[in-house]
Amino acid sequence: MKRALTALLACAVALPALAQNASADWDLAQDQRKNLLVAYARFDNGVSIGTRCADGGFEAVISGLPPAGRASTRPLRIAFGDDDLSDSRWGVATDDTIAISELPAPFARELRAGGRLRILVPNGAPDGRNLLYDLTLPASSSSIDQTLTACGRPLVDPRDAELEALEEDGVPRNLAWAVRPRPNFPSTRYARGFAVATCVSNPDGSLRDCTIESEHPRDGRFGQAALAAVRRARLQNLADPGAPLPVTRVLYKTHFLMEGYQTREDVERQRESRRLQREERAARRAESE
């Protein structure tokens, strides 16, 4: 137990055992020297869920999942209560049995109420069938709140609904990237990583108030690289070309990979990104003629 807790404080992924208990708050661990605070719950089936504030960065993780292999992302279908399962995509940690939320604060805010949580892992069973975890979460009246507050994240945020309404490319319906973010690989010791940023659009299509929502590894500088890229990007109004844009939230996700580490999924994603960039350049040239 002590060994597992030490690992938790080091990387927020190895969680001490906790049988399902709907009456108890989540366990809380703190390492003041590392400016680290973690709320966590572990279940008898080996799945663990944790939220943490580490030196100002907020994370939510699910561990104990089937290995994801070399994939940089993995699909999970999530449902709270009796809601229908909803598709979501999660980052893969350096330990590929751990999934990292791309939007950890909204996920943590839903965890606070406790109750039923279903997690479906496509093709996660040994025979290739889908694997479903049906958990009963402890309600958290304090522990998760403390991790959110420590990182300056609100306990209730109406903007969560805005993020849920965004299209797959992270922008609202009738808006599109006029200049897509193009991040540079940061100076780092990691071969791969990811970052998610949100911004607010200006009427002229530029972006402001950009914030790192999540990044992994935390010390990989991937968040700063994503912020630098998204601040150079611009949006356009598809519904009314040339008209001012509405002031709204947009989201940008990016995965970083050194040459030679790509999976087939990564290659397809990069090919699609290059196709979109070609189309956007062609559209800008056509507008200027």
Side-chain angles (χ1 to χ4, degrees), residues 161-229:
E162 295 181 49
L163 295 177
E164 291 180 3
L166 295 177
E167 299 294 302
E168 181 65 25
D169 61 355
V171 299
R173 189 181 299 275
N174 296 325
L175 299 184
W177 295 108
V179 178
R180 189 173 292 271
R182 299 184 64 182
N184 296 316
F185 201 97
S187 175
T188 180
R189 60 191 177 94
Y190 298 103
R192 64 194 307 161
F194 79 87
V196 177
T198 56
C199 301
V200 175
S201 60
N202 289 315
D204 65 357
S206 61
L207 299 171
R208 60 178 169 85
D209 299 337
C210 295
T211 302
I212 302 171
E213 296 292 337
S214 62
E215 62 177 318
H216 182 80
R218 282 279 311 142
D219 58 348
R221 302 179 181 174
F222 296 112
Q224 292 301 321
L227 281 181

Side-chain angles (χ1 to χ4, degrees), residues 18-20 42-48 63-65 132-135:
L18 176 68
Q20 295 192 34
R42 183 174 181 178
F43 302 90
D44 292 339
N45 58 13
V47 170
S48 303
S63 67
L65 300 175
L132 178 66
Y133 298 100
D134 198 337
L135 309 174

Side-chain angles (χ1 to χ4, degrees), residues 65-76 88-96 98-102 121-122 168 192-196 214 216 253-257 261-269:
L65 300 175
R70 294 184 58 209
S72 57
T73 66
R74 70 184 307 165
L76 295 177
S88 62
R89 186 156 290 276
W90 291 59
V92 176
T94 50
D95 177 341
D96 67 354
I98 299 162
I100 305 173
S101 175
E102 294 183 336
V121 185
E168 181 65 25
R192 64 194 307 161
F194 79 87
V196 177
S214 62
H216 182 80
K253 305 177 184 179
T254 184
H255 290 264
F256 298 83
L257 282 168
Y261 286 83
Q262 298 95 333
T263 64
R264 181 179 299 179
E265 177 191 43
D266 297 327
V267 172
E268 289 298 322
R269 187 189 300 112

